[in-house]
Amino acid sequence: MTLTITHLYYLVGAILAVTAVMTLTDRQHAKRYSSAFFWGLYSLVFLVGDRLPPVWVGVGVVVMALIAAFGGVGIGHHVPRTVEQYAASAKRLGNKLFIPALAIPVVTMIGTLSASHLVIGGTPLLDPKNTTLVSLGIGCIVALALACKMTNETPVQGIRESRRLTDALGWALVLPQMLGMLGLVFSDAGVGKAVAHITTSYINMDVRFFAVVVYVVGMALFTVIMGNGFAAFPVMTGGVGIPVLVGMYHGNPAVMAAVGMLSGYCGTLLTPMAANFNIVPAALLELPDKNAVIRAQVPTALALLTCNVFILYFLMFR
């Protein structure tokens, strides 16, 4: 049997379904019904999303958004360990703590590089189209097994910790998947053409420097809105980069693309929509200020964005 990305989706969906059940049975959870419904809907996307009509999936997404918007996703009851217990565990394990974490990229790399050789009877063991993602899923399972072995805990405790982390992240856990699709929606809806019309109609693009500023700053702003530089790139590049910087001023498209993506990353540093980068670390470190990571990154983002304007202006038109 070939391990495919679908099997990974089933695994993620099963974990989310267990999280929903655990939330529902947590009588000390102030919002257990709405939270359980939220995670249950999300689990269905992974478990049976490919078998449901797209409209149904869309309705489910809207319902999830409404639950999150009205504060329906809360944190359940968890029994944390004491500081002394954490210190004793850290002292006992030492640097071995990094073994499960490092196992994930190691197994992912091994699986990706050796996938073409893992063939039995003409059937590949790993899906050739999604080798890296499938290998990543296997790496996570290996890491869980190593963590259980080292800590003498059971996979059930791993599920409990998974639920605790899911509660800490809350609705932000859903953002990466949602924002990834948002870029496709914007592209199909012709947002790039709309941006081109607005910029050329209301901004003096006859001045080359202004055109560069619009592209660079626009990449950052769209990334702030969409939380993903890859989603913002086709919008701004199709609206300003290609028709104005390349088509009108005959700039170097390679330089435009490189600096444009770097400008998008500046926007990533400034937005909570980039949950993986800005919300997850704050939750993992249990920081009292969820925006502490963003606040620390603002000076770097603004300074780099300013430099990008001049880098693109002087390098693109050489």
Side-chain angles (χ1 to χ4, degrees):
M1 183 182 69
T2 301
L3 292 176
T4 66
I5 191 67
T6 302
H7 295 103
L8 182 58
Y9 290 158
Y10 289 159
L11 177 60
V12 174
I15 294 174
L16 288 170
V18 172
T19 299
V21 173
M22 294 175 69
T23 300
L24 186 62
T25 56
D26 183 1
R27 296 185 179 276
Q28 299 186 52
H29 196 314
K31 302 176 180 179
R32 62 171 175 154
Y33 293 111
S34 57
S35 296
F37 189 42
F38 181 89
W39 297 119
L41 285 175
Y42 196 30
S43 70
L44 290 177
V45 173
F46 290 96
L47 291 174
V48 296
D50 57 337
R51 302 172 189 172
L52 296 175
V55 174
W56 289 19
V57 178
V59 170
V61 171
V62 172
V63 172
M64 289 175 63
L66 291 174
I67 293 174
F70 287 98
V73 183
I75 299 177
H77 174 69
H78 303 278
V79 181
R81 294 186 177 184
T82 64
V83 176
E84 291 75 16
Q85 289 175 323
Y86 279 125
S89 179
K91 183 178 180 180
R92 178 173 60 86
L93 295 174
N95 290 331
K96 293 180 181 179
L97 284 169
F98 295 101
I99 293 177
L102 293 175
I104 297 177
V106 170
V107 173
T108 302
M109 181 183 66
I110 293 174
T112 302
L113 297 178
S114 62
S116 59
H117 304 288
L118 300 176
V119 180
I120 298 178
T123 301
L125 294 180
L126 303 181
D127 182 4
K129 296 181 180 180
N130 297 284
T131 302
T132 302
L133 290 177
V134 174
S135 299
L136 176 63
I138 296 174
C140 292
I141 296 174
V142 171
L144 174 61
L146 289 173
C148 292
K149 177 67 175 177
M150 291 170 54
T151 59
N152 296 321
E153 294 287 357
T154 64
V156 175
Q157 180 61 27
I159 295 296
R160 294 193 187 101
E161 292 298 316
S162 171
R163 184 207 165 201
R164 182 182 66 82
L165 180 59
T166 298
D167 276 356
L169 296 177
W171 58 266
L173 184 68
V174 185
L175 277 178
Q177 186 181 10
M178 299 295 184
L179 295 173
M181 295 305 299
L182 183 61
L184 296 177
V185 173
F186 274 29
S187 178
D188 291 343
V191 176
K193 294 180 180 179
V195 171
H197 172 72
I198 293 174
T199 52
T200 54
S201 299
Y202 298 99
I203 300 176
N204 185 10
M205 290 300 207
D206 293 334
V207 179
R208 189 169 65 180
F209 182 78
F210 287 169
V212 170
V213 171
V214 169
Y215 178 67
V216 170
V217 176
M219 271 296 301
L221 290 178
F222 263 90
T223 303
V224 168
I225 296 172
M226 304 170 74
N228 191 322
F230 291 100
F233 184 76
V235 174
M236 287 306 301
T237 301
V240 178
I242 293 176
V244 179
L245 297 183
V246 177
M248 184 184 302
Y249 293 113
H250 309 290
N252 187 329
V255 175
M256 175 205 66
V259 179
M261 284 303 301
L262 184 59
S263 302
Y265 297 150
C266 293
T268 301
L269 298 175
L270 299 171
T271 177
M273 299 293 282
N276 284 357
F277 299 98
N278 300 328
I279 301 300
V280 171
L284 290 175
L285 297 174
E286 299 181 352
L287 300 178
D289 182 3
K290 292 185 177 181
N291 294 317
V293 175
I294 296 176
R295 297 181 195 281
Q297 294 172 163
V298 169
T300 301
L302 296 181
L304 183 57
L305 190 65
T306 302
C307 292
N308 284 348
V309 172
F310 295 97
I311 290 173
L312 183 59
Y313 183 78
F314 288 112
L315 293 184
M316 184 177 179
F317 305 104
R318 292 183 60 181

